Amino acid sequence: MSLEAWSTVASLGTLVVIAATAIAALAQMRHARSSNQIAAVTEMRETMESERFKLARRFVAEEVPKILADPVRRKGLFEENLPSEFEAMREVANFFEIMGVFVKRSIIDRALVCDLWDGVVFTAWKQLEPVILIRRKAYYRGFCANFEYLALLCANSLSKTGGDHYPRGMPRMAIDKKSLEALAAFTADQTDAHESPAIH
């Protein structure tokens, strides 16, 4: 074999090695990204299921309307440093702000977040929206911008799916008779509760 032929074979061999190395590197990067995403989602799930975060969400759901209706307490929303009684609001808003950054920067897949939490995120946004608007007016216009971005993605997801992320085109499970009977009994209980006269 001539020197020129050997040179061609060597070049082809080098090209194959470089291509194989690049493919292996891409596979490792994809694996690392998946691992990082799993770790981030797991940590977020654990936070959302923690007793502290559940209490913070309950505060947002129950107390924010009262704060907004009370001129004295409402003034606290204009302070640069929120009063300590509003810590739960800050905690919920900051959590979803960080989640929004992770989605925006593709650390976590947006479809995955919407599948798991679109209803939770959208509800939290609507509960905190008046507070966020006040903070933007009093503090700075970009306050909770990533939370807003995430909430918009989740609102779009909900408008498309209605909160039902079951794969399209797949048949549903057959529902057995006992489940249907339980649903009928529950529905009857709810109807009776609404129709029963109030006891004073």
Side-chain angles (χ1 to χ4, degrees):
M1 187 180 284
S2 68
L3 187 59
E4 190 176 287
W6 277 114
S7 178
T8 302
V9 169
S11 296
L12 287 172
T14 302
L15 184 63
V16 168
V17 169
I18 291 171
T21 303
I23 291 167
L26 285 171
Q28 282 184 325
M29 286 173 61
R30 192 175 294 117
H31 178 71
R33 184 179 181 279
S34 295
S35 296
N36 290 340
Q37 182 167 243
I38 289 168
V41 168
T42 299
E43 188 172 333
M44 287 182 171
R45 180 188 56 78
E46 288 172 353
T47 298
M48 291 177 75
E49 291 178 0
S50 70
E51 195 59 34
R52 177 188 172 113
F53 197 73
K54 288 177 183 176
L55 289 172
R57 286 184 58 207
R58 186 177 304 150
F59 179 92
V60 167
E62 296 175 1
E63 295 299 319
V64 166
K66 298 175 188 175
I67 292 166
L68 294 170
D70 183 340
V72 175
R73 295 179 77 195
R74 193 169 60 230
K75 282 181 182 176
L77 297 174
F78 286 90
E79 295 178 19
E80 184 172 344
N81 296 311
L82 284 175
S84 59
E85 69 165 314
F86 297 161
E87 180 59 33
M89 289 190 289
R90 183 185 5 249
E91 186 171 341
V92 174
N94 285 348
F95 176 81
F96 289 116
E97 176 75 359
I98 291 167
M99 185 186 286
V101 171
F102 280 15
V103 171
K104 186 174 75 175
R105 298 299 178 190
S106 300
I107 295 168
I108 301 177
D109 181 67
R110 68 171 66 180
L112 178 61
V113 168
C114 288
D115 267 9
L116 292 170
W117 299 309
D118 59 3
V120 174
V121 173
F122 180 74
T123 300
W125 171 263
K126 294 313 287 184
Q127 290 167 338
L128 284 169
E129 186 178 57
V131 173
I132 291 167
L133 293 178
I134 290 169
R135 296 297 291 162
R136 285 179 178 177
K137 184 82 172 172
Y139 191 32
Y140 74 103
R141 62 184 288 184
F143 181 74
C144 282
N146 294 297
F147 183 7
E148 180 181 5
Y149 164 73
L150 182 64
L152 178 63
L153 293 177
C154 291
N156 290 339
S157 171
L158 285 167
S159 70
K160 290 175 186 172
T161 67
D164 184 354
H165 295 282
Y166 197 82
R168 291 181 182 175
M170 285 289 292
R172 290 278 185 165
M173 286 287 291
I175 301 173
D176 64 38
K177 186 179 177 184
K178 287 183 180 178
S179 297
L180 291 171
E181 288 171 353
L183 177 61
F186 172 79
T187 304
D189 291 344
Q190 296 301 305
T191 302
D192 290 344
H194 288 299
E195 292 177 355
S196 296
I199 299 173
H200 299 285

